[in-house]
Amino acid sequence: MVYFFLAVAALIVGYLVYSKVVEANFGADTCKATPACRLEDGVDFVKMNKKQAYLIQLLNIAGLGPIFGPILGALYGPTALVWIVIGSIFAGGVHDYFSGMMSVRYDGKSIPDAVGYNLGSFAKQFMNVFSIILLLLVGVVFVLGPAELLAKKISFGFDDVVNAKYAWTALIFGYYFVATILPVDKIIGRLYPLFAVTLIIMAVGLSFMLIWDGYEFYPNGLSLANTNPQGLPLWPLIFITIACGAISGFHATQSPLMSRCIPDEKCGRPVFYGAMIGEGLIALVWATLGMTFYKTPEALQAVISNGGPAAVVDQISVTLMGPIGGFLAIIGVIALPITSGDTAFRSARLIIADFFNMPQKEGIKRLLIAVPLFVIGFLITRTEFSVIWRYFGFANSTLATVVLWTAGVYLVRHGKNYWIAVVPAVFMTGVVSTYLANAKIGFNLPYDVSCWAGIAASIGCFVWFMVKKGSLANSPDVFDGPGHIE
């Protein structure tokens, strides 16, 4: 139990200390008018207070990832805890802060534009396509996950869970569509603070009951040895498996939503970096539950094999909190993906709108983009969940890696300390390169060869960055909007 609270304390101290280092290095300026002040349109650019923006950002980014990912990551043992803490503070928090604040300085532009301003037009077009694919995968994952959980609780009179799941899928898609096209303050701005209450019940309630019922925390000890029952390698899989809750590229697609709403640049630290730490705390709780509620990794694997991570959520919640408390906890778990799925489709709409330079104030223009998106999303739901999750995991980490390199270039151009972004960028380059080389969805190379390929990719990108650093420092930021730093 002591180690659990030490990990919690480390995340909090990381926010209190390192987030200030990141903010000071960026140079947040209260004298600069934010996009919410200069470009308010009543739809996407809507000024919100710091507390409201934080709650929305937290619920935007905290989908199934910081629950399902840490449950699967718990199979690898306590290394998962170390990665959540270190990853959230030194990688995820940096990634989320810069993806949000670069957008603030770029008039609320979506992340492909921020990448393009720093890495060139080819990178921008690649990121346009890559981001939309990721957002569609996220939207679908965050439909199927909560639909499966809800179907087990409320069947609508259907005899089997499958038909009930289809009914819930249709209802959730309907909500997503409405939330995607309405102004951000009409549904998202009003409902998300309420969903935050169930989120608190879930995280705090389950942790308290774990202690109250006298569970021995981490009964298999705190060795960093790989305990995966299927013999899957720790490197790089744990870093792909636990993305949300440590570092997630999906967050970079969400941060611009709140970059269009924060009233002051000083809000960036609590809203962007702070929300990442909040998600890290959620991930820490679920990784601890996976390693503590189940006495062995084999016991956890057995439940996952029979019903997936959703079965783990259901069993833990009901056992620890009883039928009513368990239902409330599960509702909290359901609120997370639903409140990320709707903004995933909303972000996709905005990225497409930016690409075609199509203002979104008129409802018909929002519909022109949203309708085809949801048709494609529905078609993707016909694919097996496990297959979608694998592609989502790789795309998620790859996008995060690109954004970290973008932040590094941005910092060089503005004469700032680039190491805070470059070090995690080099690490994540190794992760995604090794995974792509070894995975079946990639090149399916032998594991040893893949590891060397990952190392080579990391070194190559780092050398490229250092060679280009001098010319980058002398090249101006191509963005010339009002938010541009002189």
Side-chain angles (χ1 to χ4, degrees):
M1 188 190 309
V2 172
Y3 289 105
F4 171 71
F5 284 110
L6 282 175
V8 170
L11 284 171
I12 294 172
V13 171
Y15 169 72
L16 294 175
V17 177
Y18 197 64
S19 68
K20 291 181 179 179
V21 173
V22 173
E23 180 187 56
N25 193 52
F26 176 81
D29 187 352
T30 56
C31 295
K32 285 185 176 291
T34 62
C37 300
R38 292 184 287 100
L39 304 171
E40 187 166 3
D41 63 1
V43 178
D44 297 309
F45 293 85
V46 178
K47 191 187 300 184
M48 296 181 181
N49 62 55
K50 179 171 62 178
K51 181 179 178 180
Q52 187 180 20
Y54 168 81
L55 290 173
I56 294 174
Q57 175 72 2
L58 176 61
L59 291 169
N60 281 353
I61 66 175
L64 283 176
I67 300 171
F68 281 19
I71 287 173
L72 295 170
L75 295 169
Y76 295 90
T79 303
L81 307 175
V82 177
W83 168 234
I84 289 169
V85 172
I86 294 177
S88 294
I89 296 171
F90 297 105
V94 175
H95 168 277
D96 286 19
Y97 182 82
F98 277 97
S99 62
M101 293 307 295
M102 284 191 297
S103 178
V104 169
R105 291 285 174 88
Y106 293 146
D107 284 351
K109 295 289 187 180
S110 298
I111 197 62
D113 289 287
V115 171
Y117 293 139
N118 290 281
L119 300 184
S121 59
F122 174 80
K124 175 183 176 179
Q125 302 313 325
F126 170 79
M127 286 294 287
N128 272 318
V129 175
F130 200 82
S131 298
I132 292 170
I133 291 173
L134 173 63
L135 288 166
L136 284 171
L137 290 174
V138 168
V140 171
V141 166
F142 293 170
V143 167
L144 297 178
E148 185 174 347
L149 283 169
L150 285 165
K152 292 178 180 179
K153 299 297 179 183
I154 304 174
S155 64
F156 291 122
F158 290 109
D159 295 331
D160 57 76
V161 174
V162 174
N163 287 324
K165 181 179 176 180
Y166 288 149
W168 277 112
T169 297
L171 285 173
I172 295 171
F173 257 127
Y175 162 73
Y176 282 3
F177 185 78
V178 173
T180 296
I181 61 175
L182 286 181
V184 69
D185 59 335
K186 299 304 180 185
I187 291 182
I188 293 173
R190 294 177 181 178
L191 290 182
Y192 278 29
L194 298 177
F195 285 142
V197 175
T198 59
L199 173 61
I200 293 170
I201 292 174
M202 178 271 293
V204 176
L206 289 173
S207 300
F208 175 79
M209 290 309 299
L210 201 65
I211 298 170
W212 182 264
D213 288 346
Y215 280 82
E216 179 188 359
F217 278 61
Y218 317 119
N220 290 297
L222 290 169
S223 168
L224 299 183
N226 184 5
T227 60
N228 190 283
Q230 296 179 320
L232 297 176
L234 194 65
W235 171 270
L237 291 185
I238 194 170
F239 306 104
I240 297 289
T241 302
I242 305 180
C244 296
I247 176 170
S248 166
F250 169 64
H251 299 183
T253 67
Q254 300 302 289
S255 294
L257 294 180
M258 287 303 98
S259 76
R260 305 176 187 213
C261 298
I262 61 173
D264 187 292
E265 284 196 358
K266 287 290 185 179
C267 293
R269 186 173 73 91
V271 171
F272 301 124
Y273 196 107
M276 177 64 244
I277 296 300
E279 188 187 61
L281 289 168
I282 297 169
L284 189 66
V285 167
W286 279 101
T288 299
L289 287 165
M291 283 182 266
T292 302
F293 184 85
Y294 301 97
K295 301 301 182 184
T296 65
E298 289 75 17
L300 175 58
Q301 180 66 66
V303 178
I304 293 173
S305 298
N306 289 327
V312 174
V313 171
D314 185 67
Q315 188 176 82
I316 290 177
S317 300
V318 173
T319 302
L320 291 180
M321 301 185 70
I324 297 177
F327 183 76
L328 290 175
I330 290 170
I331 291 299
V333 173
I334 289 167
L336 287 172
I338 288 180
T339 54
S340 293
D342 58 1
T343 52
F345 281 105
R346 188 180 190 91
S347 297
R349 170 176 68 79
L350 293 172
I351 289 173
I352 294 171
D354 285 345
F355 178 78
F356 288 108
N357 195 24
M358 184 186 296
Q360 294 290 281
K361 190 169 184 176
E362 297 178 24
I364 186 64
K365 291 184 178 180
R366 299 199 292 273
L367 286 172
L368 285 173
I369 298 174
V371 171
L373 273 177
F374 277 89
V375 170
I376 296 171
F378 173 76
L379 294 175
I380 296 175
T381 63
R382 317 311 295 171
T383 306
E384 185 181 345
F385 181 85
S386 60
V387 175
I388 298 173
W389 186 263
R390 284 200 299 271
Y391 281 96
F392 161 67
F394 169 70
N396 195 24
S397 296
T398 301
L399 180 57
T401 305
V402 174
V403 172
L404 284 171
W405 282 116
T406 301
V409 171
Y410 178 92
L411 289 168
V412 167
R413 280 192 164 137
H414 297 291
K416 306 291 186 176
N417 174 18
Y418 52 83
W419 291 107
I420 61 172
V422 169
V423 171
V426 170
F427 178 79
M428 288 304 299
T429 300
V431 169
V432 298
S433 299
T434 304
Y435 182 79
L436 181 62
N438 183 241
K440 291 182 179 179
I441 65 171
F443 296 104
N444 200 22
L445 298 174
Y447 179 70
D448 290 346
V449 175
S450 300
C451 289
W452 283 110
I455 293 172
S458 292
I459 294 173
C461 288
F462 177 70
V463 170
W464 171 86
F465 179 85
M466 296 305 291
V467 169
K468 291 285 187 179
K469 182 169 64 71
S471 59
L472 289 172
N474 296 320
S475 63
D477 194 326
V478 298
F479 180 74
D480 59 358
H484 171 55
I485 302 177
E486 296 296 342

